[in-house]
Amino acid sequence: MEKILEVKDLKVSFKTHGGEVQAVRGVTFDLHKGETLAIVGESGSGKSVTTKTLMGLLPKPHGFVKEGSITFDNKDITKLKESELQKIRGKDISMIFQDPMTSLNPTMKVGTQIMEGLIKHQNMGKAEAREKAIELMNLVQIPNPEARMKQYPHQFSGGMRQRVVIAIALACNPRVLIADEPTTALDVTIQAQILELMKDIQKKVDTSIIFITHDLGVVANVADRVAVMYAGKIVEIGTVDEVFYNPKHPYTWGLLGSMPTLESDEEELFAIPGTPPDLIAPPKGDAFAARNKFALEIDFVEQPPMFKVSDTHYAATWLLHEDAPKVEPPESVKKRIESMDHSEEATR
Amino acid sequence: MSQEKLLEIKNLKQHFKLGRNNVVKAVDGLTFDIYKGETFGLVGESGCGKSTTGRSIIRLYNSTDGEVLFKGENVQGKKNKSELKKFNRQMQMIFQDPYSSLNPRMTVMDIIAEGIDIHGLAKNAEERKAKVYELLETVGLNKEHANRYPHEFSGGQRQRLGIARALAVDPEFIIADEPISALDVSIQAQVVNLMKQLQKEKGLTYLFIAHDLSMVKYISDRIGVMYFGKLVELADAEELYKNPVHPYTRSLLSAIPLPDPIYERNRKRIVYDPSQHDTSEEPEFREISPRHWVLCTSKEFEEYKKEKQNTVTN
Ligand SMILES: Nc1ncnc2c1ncn2[C@@H]1O[C@H](COP(=O)(O)OP(=O)(O)OP(=O)(O)O)[C@@H](O)[C@H]1O
Ligand SMILES: Nc1ncnc2c1ncn2[C@@H]1O[C@H](COP(=O)(O)OP(=O)(O)OP(=O)(O)O)[C@@H](O)[C@H]1O
Ligand SMILES: [Mg+2]
Ligand SMILES: [Mg+2]
C-alpha cells in the first residue's frame, strides 16, 4: 500500500513551570493512501498533540518536537518553515479540531469563515465561494443555510458549530484529513450521516483520514486500522477486526470492557482503576503497569517493545514475550467478543 | 426515587430571531417534571434545543413563554441578591463547550475555588486548597494540575475541570450538558460512576443532556426524547429502549454505533421521515401506558396503544 504519511519515533514536549510535560513519547505509524486510521486512547494520552504536530500547530515556543520525523511528500514536516506549512495546511492536510469554538472566530459571521478558505486555497471568486459555502452547509445538514450564513458561531448549537468546522475542512478536498473527535458533539443520527459523508468524499478523492475518537462504536464503523494510545505512546495497532476481536494489550481490554452495552444493567460500570501517570515524570517501565492487574515484574523496570502478532497487528506488552505466562483477557471482554457472533449473520 | 417534584417545567418556550423574518423555535412548549433524586436524560438531534432548555432552566435566557418552578418557586421571577445567590448555589450547570466556559487567564485552582469563595464555603486558605485538591482527585485529575491554566489541558481534562467546578458548591441540582462526550470511555465510566455515587450520597438530582444513548440509558431513570423543540417521547429508561414508539426514537436507537466492526459493516439504519405524520391534526402529548408518553395524533394514539398491548400479551 502506498504510504502518504510516515511518522517515526515522534517525541513532543511542553515546557511548563511544573517541568517538561512529555506529551508524546515515541510514536511511530504510517498512514496509507485512502485508508482511515482511528486513534483511540485515554484522555490526555497525546492524541491531539500528535495530530497537531502533523499540522505544525504546536503552540510555540513552549511546545516543541524533541525527536523524530514526519514525512509527507518527501519532506519532513517538523523541519518546515511556517510559510511552507501554511501552504500545506488547509489544502493538502486539513484538520477538524476537537474544540469547534477554538477554530471558529467568534466575531466573524459563519458564512464568511467558510468562504475564507475557498477564496484562499481554491482561488474562487466571492460569488462562487458563497454558492459553494451554501452547498457545504447543506451537505452537513444545516437547515436554512442562506440565513445561517449571516449568523455568528454563538448562535449555533454545539453540534452545528462542529458541522461548520467539518464543512470548512472538507471544502478543499484535502489529501489528508485529520479529524479530532469530529462527531463527538453530534447525536447518532446526524453522526451517521456525517460519517457517510466523510466516507463518500474519501472514495471520491482517495483522502486518507486520521480519525480520533473515544467512541469505539464509531471506530468500528469508520476505521480500517486502529491505533490505541496510552501515556504518549501507541500501545497497540492493527486492523479494526484484529483490535476488536483479538485485542492483546491490557489497556485495550480495559477500554473495551468500559463500554456499557444496551443490554447491561450492572450497578456500576467497569472503569480502569487508578489515574494516568504524570507526564512530567513518567514511570520507568510500562506506563500502564501501575493500573494493570496483569503486570509482570519486568513491566515496572523496562518498557516493552512492540511485539508482532501478525503482519498488521502489533502490541507493546511483555505478555506477548515468549517467556511470559499465558494470560487470557478478562471474562467481561471475552464475553463481549463472544457475543459478537456473526455466524448467523442473516438473522441479526 | 421520590415523587417529590424538584423542578416543574411548564410550556417552556425559547424563540430566537434568525434574520429579519425568520424565527428559530429552539424550545417550543416543553412540559415535564424532574423528581428529587432522579436523573432525567434528555436526548435528541443536534440543534433540537437541548442546551437551550438547560440554559433557560438556569436562567441564562429570559424565556419567551412558560414557567420553570424550582421547589415550587418560579425561577424567572424577580429576586433580591441573597435569594439569587442561594438559587445559584442550588443549581449548577456543566457546559457543553468546556473551553469557552473556562476563563483562560485563571489557574485551575482559582477556577474551581471561585464558587467556594463566592459562597464562603472554606474557612481559610488551607481548607480552600484541600477542597480543590479533593475535587481534582474526584474527577480523576491530580493536585499537580491546580497551578496550570486551561489551555494546558487536553479536551477531556478540561471537561473534568467543568465538573469539578460545578461540584465545588455542593449543589442540589446539576444540569449536565454533554458532560462526558469529550471523554474516553474509561473516564466516561469513572465520571458516570462518580455522578451516581454523589447522587446516592448527597441526593443530587440531574438533568443529563447527551446523545450517547447507551450512557444515557445507563445513568437515567427517565428519558425524554426531543425533536425540533418539542418532546416526542418520555418514559422510564428501560421502557424507552425496550418499547420505543415514536418513529424518531426508533430511528435514533437504530443509529447507535456498536463496537463490533462486522456488525457495523452490515448495519441498517431506520431513517425518520417527519412527513409520515398526518399534519391535519395538531399532535398532543399522550400517555400510551403508565408513565410512557408519546407526542401523537388521536389516530396514532390508538395505533400505538394497540401495538403496545400486542407486545405485552406476546
Ligand atoms: N499547551 C500545552 N501545555 C502543556 N501541556 C499540554 C499542552 N497541550 C497538551 N498538554 C498535555 O499533553 C498531554 C496530551 O494532551 P492531548 O491534548 O494530546 O490529549 P488527548 O489524547 O487528545 O486527550 P483527550 O482525549 O482528552 O482530548 C496532556 O497531558 C496535556 O495535559
Ligand atoms: N443565542 C442564540 N441565538 C440564536 N439562536 C440560538 C442561540 N442559541 C441557540 N440557538 C438556536 O437554537 C437551536 C437549538 O440550539 P441548542 O444549542 O439548544 O441545540 P442542542 O439540542 O443543544 O444541539 P447540540 O446537540 O448540537 O448541542 C439551534 O437552531 C440554534 O441555532
Ligand atoms: Mg484531544
Ligand atoms: Mg447542545
Side-chain angles (χ1 to χ4, degrees):
Chain A
M1 247 195 201
E2 192 185 332
K3 286 178 200 167
I4 183 149
L5 197 71
E6 244 181 299
V7 179
K8 270 217 180 89
D9 200 29
L10 185 68
K11 293 184 181 158
V12 181
S13 286
F14 293 96
K15 287 207 182 79
T16 67
H17 46 244
E20 181 187 319
V21 176
Q22 302 174 35
V24 176
R25 305 187 302 137
V27 160
T28 300
F29 67 88
D30 296 333
L31 182 68
H32 304 148
K33 191 151 187 218
E35 79 164 340
T36 300
L37 171 71
I39 305 183
V40 300
E42 181 137 280
S43 171
S45 61
K47 305 181 295 292
S48 298
V49 171
T50 301
T51 47
K52 276 185 195 157
T53 313
L54 300 183
M55 293 274 284
L57 282 177
L58 286 175
K60 278 169 191 144
H62 68 283
F64 60 98
V65 175
K66 247 178 112 170
E67 242 182 271
S69 62
I70 300 166
T71 314
F72 177 73
D73 267 351
N74 300 317
K75 278 179 258 169
D76 183 352
I77 288 185
T78 65
K79 306 245 154 53
L80 292 185
K81 287 200 288 279
E82 180 58 30
S83 59
E84 293 168 297
L85 284 168
Q86 268 181 15
K87 273 187 227 138
I88 297 180
R89 238 182 260 146
K91 184 158 176 285
D92 292 318
I93 308 183
S94 97
M95 180 150 181
I96 301 167
F97 290 92
Q98 183 167 11
D99 214 328
M101 267 323 247
T102 54
S103 40
L104 292 176
N105 181 341
T107 63
M108 203 193 220
K109 287 186 181 143
V110 169
T112 319
Q113 300 193 50
I114 302 180
M115 285 163 62
E116 223 179 21
L118 295 168
I119 293 171
K120 190 166 144 209
H121 292 301
Q122 311 262 86
N123 297 321
M124 282 188 190
K126 227 173 160 186
E128 196 188 351
R130 216 187 107 75
E131 219 161 273
K132 176 83 185 175
I134 292 174
E135 184 193 319
L136 282 164
M137 280 175 87
N138 260 325
L139 266 180
V140 295
Q141 315 265 342
I142 291 178
N144 208 343
E146 277 94 353
R148 291 287 188 176
M149 294 270 285
K150 299 191 197 108
Q151 285 194 312
Y152 292 92
H154 78 268
Q155 295 170 309
F156 277 48
S157 80
M160 286 158 74
R161 276 179 224 150
Q162 199 152 8
R163 282 179 273 158
V164 169
V165 175
I166 292 171
I168 292 174
L170 295 178
C172 36
N173 300 329
R175 287 159 62 198
V176 177
L177 175 65
I178 301 171
D180 194 350
E181 307 272 8
T183 56
T184 303
L186 304 179
D187 63 284
V188 286
T189 49
I190 290 190
Q191 169 172 289
Q193 289 160 15
I194 298 276
L195 296 179
E196 276 157 27
L197 174 70
M198 284 174 71
K199 283 189 225 168
D200 278 352
I201 291 176
Q202 180 171 40
K203 251 187 240 143
K204 242 189 277 158
V205 290
D206 219 10
T207 308
S208 308
I209 302 180
I210 297 181
F211 199 108
I212 302 179
T213 176
H214 56 263
D215 186 330
L216 299 175
V218 170
V219 175
N221 182 286
V222 298
D224 299 302
R225 290 192 304 141
V226 187
V228 182
M229 280 189 79
Y230 186 81
K233 291 184 170 221
I234 291 179
V235 296
E236 181 156 5
I237 186 164
T239 66
V240 63
D241 288 26
E242 285 168 335
V243 174
F244 278 72
Y245 300 134
N246 187 23
K248 291 295 181 195
H249 197 284
Y251 176 68
T252 313
W253 297 344
L255 267 190
L256 291 170
S258 314
M259 275 199 78
T261 58
L262 282 176
E263 289 77 38
S264 70
D265 43 19
E266 307 101 62
E267 249 313 284
E268 185 151 308
L269 285 175
F270 171 77
I272 301 169
T275 49
D278 180 10
L279 294 175
I280 291 179
K284 191 159 140 227
D286 180 353
F288 189 57
R291 306 172 68 186
N292 178 7
K293 71 172 178 187
F294 304 103
L296 309 170
E297 261 167 57
I298 185 170
D299 277 312
F300 293 91
V301 189
E302 204 176 318
Q303 290 185 17
M306 274 287 192
F307 287 96
K308 182 171 170 175
V309 183
S310 78
D311 280 344
T312 45
H313 188 187
Y314 293 81
T317 163
W318 286 116
L319 292 176
L320 291 174
H321 190 272
E322 54 187 10
D323 295 336
K326 290 284 156 278
V327 173
E328 295 270 302
E331 271 316 303
S332 65
V333 175
K334 278 209 299 201
K335 264 209 334 248
R336 184 183 291 260
I337 294 169
E338 276 159 23
S339 75
M340 303 178 203
D341 180 3
H342 296 284
S343 47
E344 307 155 65
E345 206 47 61
T347 61
R348 284 184 54 138
Chain B
M1 202 178 71
S2 70
Q3 290 302 305
E4 185 187 329
K5 289 174 186 170
L6 186 70
L7 206 73
E8 292 161 72
I9 292 142
K10 295 186 177 162
N11 193 32
L12 185 68
K13 288 188 185 170
Q14 186 70 58
H15 295 179
F16 296 107
K17 269 220 174 86
L18 170 60
R20 205 163 302 143
N21 34 28
N22 238 323
V23 171
V24 177
K25 298 181 177 172
V27 175
D28 198 27
L30 279 192
T31 300
F32 63 99
D33 301 328
I34 299 180
Y35 299 112
K36 194 169 162 45
E38 84 164 331
T39 300
F40 188 98
L42 194 58
V43 302
E45 180 160 85
S46 168
C48 73
K50 304 178 296 293
S51 299
T52 305
T53 304
R55 288 164 162 267
S56 303
I57 291 175
I58 201 162
R59 292 177 325 141
L60 284 171
Y61 298 132
N62 282 322
S63 49
T64 311
D65 196 8
E67 275 187 334
V68 176
L69 306 184
F70 183 69
K71 296 187 181 167
E73 233 180 288
N74 193 341
V75 305
Q76 302 261 5
K78 281 210 186 78
K79 287 197 168 54
N80 63 35
K81 242 186 171 165
S82 74
E83 276 175 332
L84 264 181
K85 205 164 141 184
K86 195 174 114 214
F87 172 82
N88 286 342
R89 188 181 156 191
Q90 289 171 332
M91 215 193 260
Q92 285 287 312
M93 182 151 176
I94 301 168
F95 290 93
Q96 178 170 11
D97 196 336
Y99 199 62
S100 51
S101 67
L102 300 172
N103 185 338
R105 276 178 287 281
M106 275 162 76
T107 64
V108 164
M109 172 69 87
D110 292 334
I111 288 173
I112 296 178
E114 200 175 19
I116 298 180
D117 298 342
I118 291 174
H119 300 288
L121 302 178
K123 283 191 222 64
N124 50 42
E126 261 327 284
E127 196 180 314
R128 176 182 190 259
K129 209 155 108 189
K131 275 209 157 141
V132 171
Y133 287 169
E134 193 191 315
L135 285 160
L136 281 172
E137 216 150 277
T138 311
V139 296
L141 296 169
N142 52 47
K143 55 177 186 242
E144 281 81 42
H145 289 126
N147 294 320
R148 298 201 199 160
Y149 291 88
H151 72 266
E152 297 177 23
F153 288 85
S154 76
Q157 289 168 332
R158 271 179 223 151
Q159 188 61 281
R160 281 178 277 164
L161 295 177
I163 297 173
R165 178 178 61 179
L167 291 175
V169 295
D170 276 329
E172 279 179 57
F173 175 58
I174 294 183
I175 299 171
D177 192 358
E178 311 261 5
I180 54 170
S181 348
L183 307 178
D184 64 276
V185 278
S186 182
I187 289 170
Q188 279 190 3
Q190 277 178 19
V191 170
V192 164
N193 287 340
L194 167 76
M195 287 180 69
K196 277 197 150 184
Q197 180 202 335
L198 290 167
Q199 183 165 50
K200 252 193 223 147
E201 284 170 15
K202 310 188 177 191
L204 287 177
T205 305
Y206 299 120
L207 173 62
F208 191 93
I209 300 174
H211 57 264
D212 177 340
L213 293 155
S214 41
M215 256 327 157
V216 176
K217 162 167 184 264
Y218 180 75
I219 195 170
S220 306
D221 299 298
R222 290 187 304 145
I223 295 174
V225 181
M226 246 179 119
Y227 188 77
F228 273 96
K230 292 189 159 71
L231 276 180
V232 296
E233 189 156 1
L234 169 68
D236 291 346
E238 275 294 322
E239 166 73 8
L240 189 84
Y241 281 78
K242 282 217 183 91
N243 303 309
V245 169
H246 196 277
Y248 176 66
T249 313
R250 290 188 172 173
S251 103
L252 204 57
L253 290 174
S254 80
I256 301 177
L258 299 179
D260 183 345
I262 296 176
Y263 174 77
E264 282 299 323
R265 264 170 242 147
N266 301 312
R267 91 147 43 245
K268 293 262 171 327
R269 278 198 294 131
I270 306 172
V271 177
Y272 174 49
D273 175 11
S275 71
Q276 69 189 81
H277 302 284
D278 172 11
T279 47
S280 64
E281 186 189 329
E282 188 70 23
E284 271 172 44
F285 215 43
R286 304 173 212 249
E287 194 168 20
I288 61 155
S289 65
R291 301 167 63 83
H292 189 159
W293 295 76
V294 184
L295 185 71
C296 54
T297 61
S298 50
K299 190 155 157 262
E300 286 168 336
F301 182 51
E302 294 309 320
E303 282 165 22
Y304 293 159
K305 272 198 304 194
K306 217 181 280 160
E307 248 175 69
K308 179 87 212 188
Q309 268 152 9
N310 291 339
T311 57
V312 174
T313 46
N314 279 344

